[in-house]
């Protein structure tokens, strides 16, 4: 029997999730289909109820529903509670169970693609939104030396960080860039079509610092280009997108899919190359 999976968001027409997941279903000979559903915010409750009525086996959640959808879950995973957001929902015996794979997806991609261990690393996160929170708490699970956060609005970052982390304004962080081994942009600054914008000055960045941007359109943001010119190692957002999707796929099916194949599909669709 064909199983239905999907994505709810507003908008979703640009999403590459259907391409990625349907290819994985096909390659693994799983009788399932993944569809992107455009859901306006005021129709979220009806959409979630409708998916349950259709016996949907699971779905992803994207902007702007990641926090609002929590209200309609029967259960929440501890990670989703901590992050205050859900990006993956599983139908477990008729109950909606909400998870969040964003943070773990980013960390898995970072370690595997950059071939690094996080133990002892000093890390700076730019931004204080849902992605920042997910990445922040996932990094804290590793034996890092520090995970600090900078944001335009300092109070927004202070609202979720724990005591051992420092919070800086963007201006303060720019002066401290040289103190970090890994710098991560979790904001949308530099995303298409505003490709000339950069989230933080890298004038003090150390050579071989890992500079990671969760944006994947464009594949090489202006910020990553500047980092590369200064001798930094760079990573775009394709890895996080692929791994958060792969972890969701595993929760739905019990199978961890071929992430290399997923990555190649996404990059091919975007018409570019990796960093």
């Amino acid at each position: 029997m064909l199983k239905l999976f999907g994505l709810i968001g507003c908008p979703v027409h640009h999403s590459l999730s259907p391409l990625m997941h349907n290819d994985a279903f096909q390659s693994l000979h799983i009788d399932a289909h993944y569809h992107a559903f455009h859901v306006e915010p005021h129709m979220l409750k009806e959409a979630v109820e409708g998916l349950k009525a259709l016996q949907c086996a699971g779905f992803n959640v994207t902007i702007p529903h990641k926090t609002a959808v929590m209200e309609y879950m029967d259960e929440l995973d501890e990670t989703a509670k901590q992050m205050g957001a859900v990006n993956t929902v599983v139908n477990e015996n008729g109950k909606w169970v909400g998870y969040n794979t964003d943070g773990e997806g980013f960390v898995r991609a970072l370690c595997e693609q950059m071939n690094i261990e996080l133990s002892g690393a000093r890390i700076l996160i730019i931004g204080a939104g849902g992605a920042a929170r997910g990445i922040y708490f996932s990094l804290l699970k590793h034996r890092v030396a520090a995970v600090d956060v900078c944001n335009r609005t300092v109070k927004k970052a202070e609202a979720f960080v724990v005591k051992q982390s420092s919070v800086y304004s963007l201006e303060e962080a720019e002066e401290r860039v040289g103190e970090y081994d890994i710098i991560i942009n979790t904001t949308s600054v530099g995303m298409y079509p505003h490709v000339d914008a950069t989230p933080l000055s890298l004038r003090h960045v150390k050579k071989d610092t890992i500079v990671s941007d969760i944006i994947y359109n464009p594949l090489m943001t202006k910020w990553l280009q500047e980092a590369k010119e200064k001798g930094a190692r760079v990573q775009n957002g394709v890895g996080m997108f692929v791994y958060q999707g792969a972890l969701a796929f595993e929760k739905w099916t019990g199978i961890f899919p071929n992430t290399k194949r997923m990555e190649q599909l996404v990059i091919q669709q975007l018409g570019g190359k990796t960093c």
Side-chain angles (χ1 to χ4, degrees), residues 15-24 34 262 265-266 268-269:
S15 177
L16 298 180
S17 292
L19 171 73
M20 190 168 69
H21 286 293
N22 284 323
D23 179 78
Y34 185 105
M262 285 179 156
L265 269 176
V266 171
Q268 183 180 12
Q269 187 68 21

Side-chain angles (χ1 to χ4, degrees), residues 1-5 25 30-34 55-57 252-253:
M1 178 181 174
L2 180 74
K3 289 187 176 181
L4 174 65
F5 296 89
F25 287 138
I30 296 173
D31 190 17
H33 178 75
Y34 185 105
Q55 298 183 359
C56 178
W252 295 329
T253 66

Side-chain angles (χ1 to χ4, degrees), residues 16-17 20-21 87 101-114 135 184-185 211-220 224 234-248 256-267 270 273-275:
L16 298 180
S17 292
M20 190 168 69
H21 286 293
N87 83 321
T101 66
D102 283 335
E104 185 182 351
F106 174 84
V107 172
R108 289 274 293 269
L110 177 69
C111 293
E112 293 189 25
Q113 292 185 329
M114 307 307 286
I135 291 170
I184 306 159
N185 175 41
V211 176
S212 178
D213 198 329
I214 69 168
I215 292 170
Y216 59 83
N217 186 13
L219 287 170
M220 180 71 81
L224 288 184
V234 300
Q235 179 198 34
N236 62 29
V238 171
M240 176 181 176
F241 174 69
V242 165
Y243 275 82
Q244 63 80 28
L247 289 166
F256 191 78
N258 185 336
T259 52
K260 292 292 184 185
R261 182 183 175 98
M262 285 179 156
E263 183 179 347
Q264 289 169 357
L265 269 176
V266 171
I267 292 169
L270 291 170
K273 298 179 181 180
T274 57
C275 296

Side-chain angles (χ1 to χ4, degrees), residues 13 24 70 77 92 94 109 115 121 178 183 186 196 202 209 241 257 269:
H13 67 273
M70 296 174 72
D77 173 69
E92 297 186 8
N115 192 27
I183 303 170
T186 69
D196 290 327
L202 293 171
T209 297
F241 174 69
Q269 187 68 21

Side-chain angles (χ1 to χ4, degrees), residues 73-263:
M73 296 295 101
D74 298 305
E75 293 180 14
L76 287 169
D77 173 69
E78 285 303 315
T79 300
K81 289 179 184 177
Q82 188 179 47
M83 296 178 183
V86 164
N87 83 321
T88 300
V89 179
V90 182
N91 187 336
E92 297 186 8
N93 300 316
K95 295 190 300 184
W96 284 142
V97 182
Y99 297 88
N100 195 307
T101 66
D102 283 335
E104 185 182 351
F106 174 84
V107 172
R108 289 274 293 269
L110 177 69
C111 293
E112 293 189 25
Q113 292 185 329
M114 307 307 286
N115 192 27
I116 60 167
E117 294 282 342
L118 292 174
S119 179
R122 294 187 58 83
I123 304 169
L124 176 68
I125 294 174
I126 307 167
R133 289 196 301 272
I135 291 170
Y136 175 80
F137 286 112
S138 295
L139 288 169
L140 287 182
K141 295 176 183 178
H142 298 263
R143 298 174 65 183
V144 295
V147 185
D148 298 333
V149 180
C150 66
N151 193 53
R152 184 180 59 183
T153 306
V154 172
K155 285 186 177 180
K156 189 175 181 182
E158 289 175 338
F160 69 86
V161 300
V162 295
K163 289 182 179 179
Q164 62 261 40
S165 298
S166 296
V167 175
Y168 301 110
S169 67
L170 294 178
E171 292 75 19
E172 290 170 330
E174 286 178 344
E175 298 303 316
R176 294 177 172 270
V177 160
E179 301 175 10
Y180 297 97
D181 306 300
I182 303 171
I183 303 170
I184 306 159
N185 175 41
T186 69
T187 77
S188 61
V189 177
M191 183 186 293
Y192 179 85
H194 306 293
V195 296
D196 290 327
T198 58
L200 191 78
S201 170
L202 293 171
R203 63 182 179 275
H204 297 310
V205 73
K206 297 182 300 184
K207 185 180 178 182
D208 292 328
T209 297
I210 293 174
V211 176
S212 178
D213 198 329
I214 69 168
I215 292 170
Y216 59 83
N217 186 13
L219 287 170
M220 180 71 81
T221 59
K222 183 179 179 181
W223 191 62
L224 288 184
Q225 291 172 2
E226 291 178 359
K228 198 168 187 178
E229 289 168 3
K230 291 182 176 292
R233 300 174 61 199
V234 300
Q235 179 198 34
N236 62 29
V238 171
M240 176 181 176
F241 174 69
V242 165
Y243 275 82
Q244 63 80 28
L247 289 166
F249 190 96
E250 184 178 37
K251 290 188 181 301
W252 295 329
T253 66
I255 301 169
F256 191 78
N258 185 336
T259 52
K260 292 292 184 185
R261 182 183 175 98
M262 285 179 156
E263 183 179 347

